[in-house]
Amino acid sequence: MGVRLMVVDDHRLLAEALASALKLRGHRVLAAAAPAAGAAELVITRAPEVCLLGTATPAEPGMFDPVVRIKRERPQVAVVVLGPVPSPRGIAAAFAAGASGYVRHDERIEGVERAIMKARAGEAAVSPQLLQGAFSELLNPVAQPDDEGQRLLQMLTPREVEVLVRVADGEDTRLIAAGMGIAPSTARTHVQRVLMKLGVGSRLEAAALAARTGLLDRAGPIQQHQQHQPHSPPLESDF
C-alpha cells in the first residue's frame, strides 16, 4: 500500500523529480514545496504519514528546527532527512531533532522508498553503510578533508555558477535566458558547458551533484541574488 507523503526541498527541480518518481511507484505525494523555511507549517497543515525533508547543510545550527516543530505538533509524522554525505554531527543532529531517518541525495529511488517504508513502520531509516562511514570518520578523523564542492565550484565561471543555480531551481532554458538577459542559444550553451565540466549527463544529475556536495551553498552572492528573483510559488497540491 502506498504511503501518504510530502517532499520538501529548497531546490524545486529535485523536489519535483523525486515526488514524481515516488508517485509512479504508487505513493500519494501531497506536495513538493520550496523553500524549506515553510516546511514545518505545510507539513503540520497537511499531516502526511512521512515527510522527506531536504537539506544541503545538515551540520548547520538550527537546520533541523522544522523537524523539532513538526514532531512537537504532529508527532505521528515520520520525518526522513535527504542530505549530502553527512558528518557524524549531521546525523546526530537529525536524529536528536526527532528525524526517523537520513538518506543521501544521491541514493537510488529504491533506497529512498525503503527508508520511507521503514520510517512509516516506526523503524530507524538509515543505511548501515552510512552509519559505518560516520563511525569511521569519528574514529579516524581526516585533518583536512577534501572539499568536493569547493573544487567543483572552482571549475566554473561566475556565469556558469549562476546557470547552475538556476538549473537547480528548476528553470528551463527560456527562463534562464530571460533571467540572465541572454539569448536562449547562449543559455543552452552555458548549460551544456556546466554539464560537461561537472561530468554529468543531465540537468537533474547536475542539480543532484550540486546539492550533494554543497556546491550551491558555496555560490555566495549568486545564491543571494537568486533568492531575490521571482519564482513560482510552492506547490501545495497533489502531483
Side-chain angles (χ1 to χ4, degrees):
M1 182 177 177
V3 178
R4 186 169 174 267
L5 60 92
M6 294 181 65
V7 180
V8 182
D9 196 286
D10 281 329
H11 304 298
R12 178 175 294 273
L13 181 63
L14 296 179
E16 291 182 352
L18 181 55
S20 297
L22 290 168
K23 186 175 182 182
L24 288 174
R25 299 176 77 88
H27 301 288
R28 183 183 175 190
V29 184
L30 299 181
E41 190 67 38
L42 192 56
V43 173
I44 290 167
T45 300
R46 304 299 291 272
E49 293 179 279
V50 180
C51 170
L52 298 177
L53 179 64
T55 177
T57 54
E60 183 176 315
M63 180 54 60
F64 298 116
D65 286 352
V67 180
V68 174
R69 185 182 171 198
I70 291 169
K71 297 304 293 184
R72 182 176 66 244
E73 300 192 31
R74 294 284 187 179
Q76 74 276 19
V77 176
V79 180
V80 176
V81 174
L82 295 169
V85 179
S87 67
R89 186 173 61 177
I91 291 182
F95 280 93
S100 298
Y102 192 108
V103 180
R104 283 173 46 164
H105 271 136
D106 58 354
E107 178 63 79
R108 296 174 62 89
I109 190 63
E110 293 85 359
V112 176
E113 188 174 39
R114 282 195 298 271
I116 290 170
M117 302 305 292
K118 292 184 71 173
R120 185 177 68 168
E123 302 175 27
V126 58
S127 71
Q129 295 84 355
L130 201 57
L131 284 177
Q132 182 178 2
F135 290 144
S136 295
E137 184 178 335
L138 282 173
L139 295 173
N140 303 288
V142 179
Q144 295 182 334
D146 179 31
D147 190 336
E148 185 180 3
Q150 184 62 33
R151 180 180 63 80
L152 293 174
L153 186 62
Q154 291 174 349
M155 297 169 56
L156 304 176
T157 67
R159 180 144 279 202
E160 289 167 348
V161 173
E162 182 175 356
V163 168
L164 178 57
V165 172
R166 291 179 179 275
V167 166
D169 281 343
E171 295 187 14
D172 59 19
T173 301
R174 178 181 58 81
L175 288 175
I176 292 173
M180 298 179 65
I182 57 179
S185 58
T186 303
R188 191 174 300 108
T189 297
H190 281 313
V191 170
Q192 290 304 315
R193 286 177 178 169
V194 169
L195 299 184
M196 180 182 67
K197 287 185 177 182
L198 295 182
V200 297
S202 69
R203 297 181 183 215
L204 181 58
E205 288 181 74
L209 177 63
R212 177 174 62 82
T213 61
L215 189 156
L216 294 179
D217 293 324
R218 301 279 187 175
I222 293 179
Q223 275 195 294
Q224 294 174 9
H225 168 73
Q226 290 303 308
Q227 292 172 356
H228 295 291
Q229 300 302 307
H231 291 284
S232 54
L235 297 180
E236 295 189 8
S237 59
D238 292 356
F239 277 83

